Amino acid sequence: MGILDLPRGGPSGYPGSRLIAEGVTVRFGGVSALSGVDLELGQSEIVGLIGPNGAGKTTLVNVLTGFQRPTQGKVELDGLDLRSDKPFQLAARGISRTFQAGRLFRRLTVRENLEVAGFHTGCTRRQARETADRLLEELDLTAFAGSTAGSLNYGHERRVGIGRALATKPKFVLMDEPASGMNDAECEELVACIAGIPAQFGCGVLLIEHNMKVILNACERIQVMDGGKRIAMGKPKAIITDARVRAAYFGTRHATAAGGNGIH
Amino acid sequence: MGYFLQVVIDAVSLGSLFALVSLSIGLIFGIMRLINFAQGDFVTIGAYSLLAPAAGAAPVLFLGALPWPLMIVLVLAVVVVLALVTERVAFRPLRNAEPATLLVSSFAVSYFLQNLVIVLYTSRPKALSLGTEISTVVDIFGLRIASIQLLTIVVTITLLVAISAFLRFTPLGLQMRASAENFRMARLLGVRANRVIAGAFAIAGFLGGVVALLLTAQTGVIDVRAGATLAVFGFFATVIGGMGSLVGAALGGFLVGAVSAVLQTILPADVRPFRDAVVFAAVIVVLLVRPRGIIASKSKERV
């Protein structure tokens, strides 16, 4: 258990808000999708969430974003229970999310996609537009501001999805496989983009991702799940050498992919 | 030529009413996947609010007795409030229910309102003339056009422009468009479901009130079944236009109006009473050719 090296209060030295899941259990009928999972995310860090298919990663994100009520356990933001919040309240508290499929509003323009996400703060159209334009510039998407979201290519669509999540002015963004379907060059751009989020936007990132290159390059901590349980948590270097993780996750199939990558 | 233009005017003014109804239905369907058949009864209630409850055939004026600016404002207010109350009582508790459940609830509201009218006013149609100023005929380029037809067209076009500006430029309008594409995603981004849905019902109520006034002024008769018939035509217009496309809904309204007006002209006199059957047959043909409507909505089903 050497890599479960975090004190219960979470990693020290990270200022700002904390999003905490504690002992979260989710049962569908008789099947446990999650059993007693903990997760902790600070406002200025990037945490990776990995595990084989069916490990419960998406269910955990669903719990954290109010899609799924936990059977047991609690979800707290700075000590505030989030379990009975409505979706718009979660957005107002600063929790945002991106999806595997971009789920953009395809008939709206790129700029409008970001504007919509800003209104919960009670701002005017003009203010929403200013925020949107600033974000588009920072994400290098200004050229597409007036295009219909449905006309974008895959990589840009993903980036707009991230921009839209950031337009809610979140404290935490939870990203579900942002790199899936991307080529190496696009992945590198994505890593650069994600790595800049905590400093640029004051926003913590939880990253679910199968692409180990992206995970290892972007994350400061990695949580590994298998069979609905947390099996490891720690720094990238410790994670890829952990025997349990290798057995459960990397297996023989992923060993080469993980071993071949540089660790930062 | 003159005769042709006359048919065009008929088509557009009839289509205007259908367009306003189909737009209301399309707006609410887009956001919450509810086909609100009670939209027609919103129109009916708006029309009856001009009258005081009475059993006799002679109309006893209620809102209809007021000076026209006040009358218009109050009729619109009555229907907007009715639409908002309906949403709160009949649809909000079913927010997470299947679309079919919502549909059943809308039929229940529809029959409730119709029977409420029958209890208060009896089912006998009532004659009511709304102001003599608009029952005149104006002469434009040798065409004799009823001013109520002209008024209907102008009001409808103004409202269509106003609504598209609202949807395009205001925060609530933008949130409605986003919700119409993916309500769940919109909510995750901080869009408040109650506000967006109430906004859609308020607009539907407003349009219902306008249709009530225009229809009453056009026909001079208030009938408990008029609204429900309108809802059926409006629903067809929405379907033809492509469920989920507001432009399509409005175009569908004009198209159904045009088909009705043209059929009224070209059908042999013996067949004319069955005009609606021919219109509905045309709807079936359109749907066989383009099952997703004229402007097929590209957005995928909501998850």
Side-chain angles (χ1 to χ4, degrees):
Chain A
M1 282 309 234
I3 54 175
L4 287 172
D5 55 4
L6 300 169
R8 248 191 113 60
S12 52
Y14 289 114
S17 292
R18 319 202 53 76
L19 179 62
I20 296 171
E22 216 174 271
V24 169
T25 297
V26 174
R27 270 189 286 271
F28 300 112
V31 186
S32 289
L34 292 176
S35 24
V37 175
D38 297 345
L39 178 81
E40 216 180 326
L41 183 61
Q43 207 182 335
S44 54
E45 62 174 341
I46 302 176
V47 172
L49 185 58
I50 62 173
N53 284 328
K57 306 179 299 277
T58 301
T59 309
L60 182 56
V61 170
N62 284 345
V63 169
L64 288 168
T65 49
F67 265 93
Q68 176 68 50
R69 242 187 117 82
T71 319
Q72 268 169 40
K74 57 182 179 181
V75 180
E76 286 181 354
L77 176 64
D78 295 336
L80 251 155
D81 190 348
L82 298 180
R83 280 172 304 176
S84 52
D85 273 4
K86 291 181 176 172
F88 80 87
Q89 289 171 317
L90 280 169
R93 292 199 204 287
I95 296 179
S96 195
R97 170 177 188 180
T98 70
F99 289 85
Q100 273 187 51
R103 297 203 198 179
L104 299 180
F105 304 118
R106 300 177 67 81
R107 277 180 282 177
L108 272 53
T109 65
V110 167
R111 184 189 279 123
E112 285 174 334
N113 264 277
L114 270 67
E115 284 177 84
V116 164
F119 290 132
H120 70 90
T121 55
C123 70
T124 63
R125 182 75 192 261
R126 179 176 301 182
Q127 288 164 332
R129 173 155 294 210
E130 280 166 10
T131 310
D133 283 342
R134 202 162 348 108
L135 268 170
L136 289 174
E137 204 178 315
E138 280 166 24
L139 294 170
D140 207 13
L141 287 165
T142 306
F144 304 99
S147 325
T148 316
S151 70
L152 297 179
N153 72 28
Y154 205 64
H156 290 135
E157 198 181 300
R158 288 306 175 78
R159 207 123 43 94
V160 173
I162 293 173
R164 190 177 60 175
L166 291 171
T168 63
K169 304 212 166 95
K171 293 174 180 161
F172 300 97
V173 173
L174 290 70
M175 298 186 185
D176 199 347
E177 300 202 24
S180 74
M182 282 189 175
N183 62 33
D184 279 359
E186 286 173 327
C187 280
E188 256 169 60
E189 271 181 52
L190 182 77
V191 169
C193 167
I194 293 173
I197 288 176
Q200 253 177 308
F201 305 100
C203 170
V205 179
L206 181 69
L207 190 59
I208 297 189
E209 186 50 66
H210 279 304
N211 185 325
M212 286 310 294
K213 215 174 198 173
V214 170
I215 283 281
L216 294 171
N217 286 333
C219 299
E220 294 143 56
R221 288 192 297 136
I222 297 171
Q223 170 154 336
V224 188
M225 293 182 58
D226 189 23
K229 293 196 172 85
R230 168 162 104 175
I231 59 167
M233 165 62 118
K235 296 198 182 307
K237 199 167 186 170
I239 289 294
I240 57 162
T241 52
D242 185 85
R244 286 182 62 188
V245 176
R246 295 188 77 92
Y249 184 70
F250 299 112
T252 46
R253 204 154 45 86
H254 293 277
T256 44
N261 290 325
I263 299 153
H264 294 242
Chain B
M1 186 61 187
Y3 182 65
F4 172 73
L5 282 177
Q6 195 70 58
V7 175
V8 169
I9 298 282
D10 285 348
V12 177
S13 73
L14 184 59
S16 291
L17 293 183
F18 293 155
L20 292 178
V21 175
S22 60
L23 190 63
S24 312
I25 292 174
L27 194 64
I28 290 173
F29 175 82
I31 295 172
M32 57 190 297
R33 296 298 180 267
L34 156 68
I35 299 163
N36 184 21
F37 273 101
Q39 180 66 33
D41 305 286
F42 293 171
V43 173
T44 306
I45 297 288
Y48 273 96
S49 73
L50 293 164
L51 303 176
V60 183
L61 292 180
F62 179 52
L63 294 183
L66 297 167
W68 65 267
L70 196 58
M71 174 191 80
I72 291 173
V73 169
L74 286 179
V75 168
L76 294 176
V78 163
V79 187
V80 168
V81 169
L82 173 69
L84 289 173
V85 169
T86 303
E87 189 273 318
R88 185 72 190 78
V89 174
F91 299 124
R92 192 177 294 185
L94 302 173
R95 185 71 57 79
N96 299 316
E98 295 288 314
T101 312
L102 288 165
L103 185 65
V104 170
S105 185
S106 97
F107 277 120
V109 171
S110 173
Y111 285 114
F112 171 76
L113 292 176
Q114 284 179 39
N115 285 291
L116 185 70
V117 165
I118 292 173
V119 167
L120 293 176
Y121 296 89
T122 76
S123 58
R124 193 185 302 178
K126 305 202 180 203
L128 174 66
S129 148
L130 266 191
T132 44
E133 303 87 350
I134 49 173
S135 54
T136 55
V137 170
V138 284
D139 212 308
I140 299 175
F141 305 121
L143 272 180
R144 291 169 57 76
I145 302 170
S147 29
I148 179 62
Q149 286 193 318
L150 220 51
L151 182 70
T152 304
I153 294 170
V154 170
V155 166
T156 302
I157 289 171
T158 310
L159 283 175
L160 292 182
V161 171
I163 287 174
S164 54
F166 171 82
L167 290 174
R168 203 176 154 78
F169 297 118
T170 67
L172 186 59
L174 187 51
Q175 292 181 60
M176 281 183 182
R177 280 159 61 211
S179 302
E181 260 196 67
N182 189 336
F183 198 21
R184 198 168 182 188
M185 191 67 226
R187 294 173 74 179
L188 269 181
L189 293 167
V191 171
R192 300 179 75 148
N194 288 345
R195 205 174 282 178
V196 167
I197 289 176
F201 271 88
I203 293 175
F206 185 88
L207 295 181
V210 171
V211 173
L213 289 166
L214 291 173
L215 185 70
T216 308
Q218 268 188 17
T219 60
V221 177
I222 296 178
D223 183 347
V224 67
R225 280 169 304 271
T229 312
L230 210 53
V232 171
F233 276 96
F235 170 63
F236 283 150
T238 316
V239 172
I240 288 176
M243 299 296 287
S245 159
L246 294 182
V247 177
L251 285 180
F254 284 114
L255 187 68
V256 171
V259 171
S260 305
V262 169
L263 286 176
Q264 185 70 26
T265 313
I266 61 169
L267 284 181
D270 297 342
V271 188
R272 243 172 247 172
F274 307 108
R275 183 196 67 179
D276 289 355
V278 182
V279 175
F280 295 162
V283 169
I284 294 172
V285 171
V286 169
L287 289 180
L288 286 175
V289 179
R290 290 196 65 101
R292 303 194 63 190
I294 293 167
I295 299 183
S297 155
K298 285 196 202 82
S299 70
K300 290 175 212 136
E301 260 319 287
R302 276 189 311 160
V303 185

